[in-house]
């Protein structure tokens, strides 16, 4: 778990938190949605703005990611707690 701070007066309540599993890809998708921009291709992330603002409930997600540096590759999956 890594903390992330967001500030958007009138949208995010000060001091609020979410249990929603999110990736940086999701932040990109949310910023584009908030700006009214339709991406020209499918994004890896998901617009979680409705969840982050409390308009939709937290949804279960299974997320996968890969880290590669040279010949060293590590993969991970998160499913549930």
């Amino acid at each position: 778990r890594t903390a992330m701070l967001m500030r958007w007066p009138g949208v995010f309540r000060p001091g609020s938190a979410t249990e929603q599993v999110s990736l940086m890809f999701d932040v990109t998708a949310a910023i584009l949605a908030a700006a009214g921009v339709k991406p020209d291709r499918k994004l890896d992330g998901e617009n979680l703005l409705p969840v982050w603002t409390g308009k939709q409930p937290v949804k279960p997600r299974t997320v996968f990611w890969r880290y590669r540096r040279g010949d060293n590759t590590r993969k991970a999956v998160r499913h549930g707690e």
Side-chain angles (χ1 to χ4, degrees), residues 54-68:
K55 294 178 180 161
Q56 289 182 3
V58 171
K59 55 182 168 179
R61 291 178 83 190
T62 301
V63 293
F64 305 85
W65 64 96
R66 181 180 65 202
Y67 167 87
R68 186 183 316 180

Side-chain angles (χ1 to χ4, degrees), residues 28-33 36-45 47:
T28 302
I31 290 170
L32 289 173
V37 175
K38 285 242 181 205
D40 58 357
R41 61 182 170 83
K42 179 157 176 20
L43 299 175
D44 290 331
N47 173 18

Side-chain angles (χ1 to χ4, degrees), residues 5-81:
L5 301 174
M6 293 181 150
R7 182 176 185 271
W8 189 356
V11 177
F12 295 123
R13 289 184 322 261
S16 63
T18 182
E19 294 294 319
Q20 179 63 59
V21 173
S22 306
L23 300 170
M24 201 62 201
F25 298 126
D26 302 322
V27 175
T28 302
I31 290 170
L32 289 173
V37 175
K38 285 242 181 205
D40 58 357
R41 61 182 170 83
K42 179 157 176 20
L43 299 175
D44 290 331
E46 184 177 344
N47 173 18
L48 294 174
L49 198 52
V51 178
W52 296 336
T53 57
K55 294 178 180 161
Q56 289 182 3
V58 171
K59 55 182 168 179
R61 291 178 83 190
T62 301
V63 293
F64 305 85
W65 64 96
R66 181 180 65 202
Y67 167 87
R68 186 183 316 180
R69 291 276 195 238
D71 294 334
N72 183 10
T73 300
R74 307 221 182 232
K75 300 174 185 175
V77 177
R78 178 175 175 177
H79 178 76
E81 292 295 322

